[in-house]
Amino acid sequence: MSENIFNVLFLCTGNSARSILAEAILNAAGKGRFRAYSAGSHPGGKVNPYAIELLQTRHLDTAGLRSKSWDEFAAAGAPQLDFVFTVCDNAAGEVCPLWPGKPMTAHWGIADPAAVEGSDAEKREAFARAFILLQRRISLFASLPLAKLDALSIKREVGRIGRLRETGE
């Protein structure tokens, strides 16, 4: 793993909501220890407007956020990844590219807020729930003493974090 900055890729199928939220949250919370990216197996080509609105209301940087293919991170010259987290069940079941650096992987499934039907208020509430759960998991991940843990312990911890639910364990 990198000595100074850990590169983390969050994956989802469309790369329009959950993975985008996770990228912005970790880049804000990472305090220079992490550089977060997001991508999708079948990117939709645009970021969900509810995701952008939520990030802006939380005063998180949205500059540079875009829906992109995971192929960008398997290509020559891509950042060497230390961690890859799938945040949707569909992406977790797909065959992923070979990532440079052989990163540690874990599944952190989150219900898709972009799939919620209903009023604007109901959609915003779904995005807020996804944000809170991602923020909680990312906060726990960012607080891990990665330099002091062996690979097996890190793998166990990132897996445990991915099993946390909105209401606790």
Side-chain angles (χ1 to χ4, degrees), residues 24-107:
I25 293 166
L26 182 56
N27 279 330
K31 298 180 177 40
R33 291 182 54 222
F34 298 94
R35 174 70 182 116
Y37 304 93
S38 69
S41 56
H42 299 92
K46 67 177 194 154
V47 177
N48 187 296
Y50 289 100
I52 295 295
E53 176 186 281
L54 176 61
L55 292 170
Q56 289 173 339
T57 62
R58 302 287 177 121
H59 306 289
L60 295 177
D61 188 10
T62 59
L65 293 177
R66 63 186 177 85
S67 179
K68 57 205 160 293
S69 173
W70 64 10
D71 293 336
E72 286 186 29
F73 295 92
Q80 184 168 323
L81 301 171
D82 298 296
F83 297 92
V84 175
F85 300 127
T86 53
V87 292
C88 75
D89 293 335
N90 289 342
E94 294 180 318
V95 176
C96 295
L98 294 176
W99 307 114
K102 296 181 179 155
M104 188 169 294
T105 61
H107 178 58

Side-chain angles (χ1 to χ4, degrees), residues 88-130:
C88 75
D89 293 335
N90 289 342
E94 294 180 318
V95 176
C96 295
L98 294 176
W99 307 114
K102 296 181 179 155
M104 188 169 294
T105 61
H107 178 58
W108 288 6
I110 303 275
D112 186 2
V116 169
E117 307 256 337
S119 68
D120 285 347
E122 290 167 319
K123 292 175 183 179
R124 285 185 178 99
E125 176 60 29
F127 273 84
R129 280 192 309 271

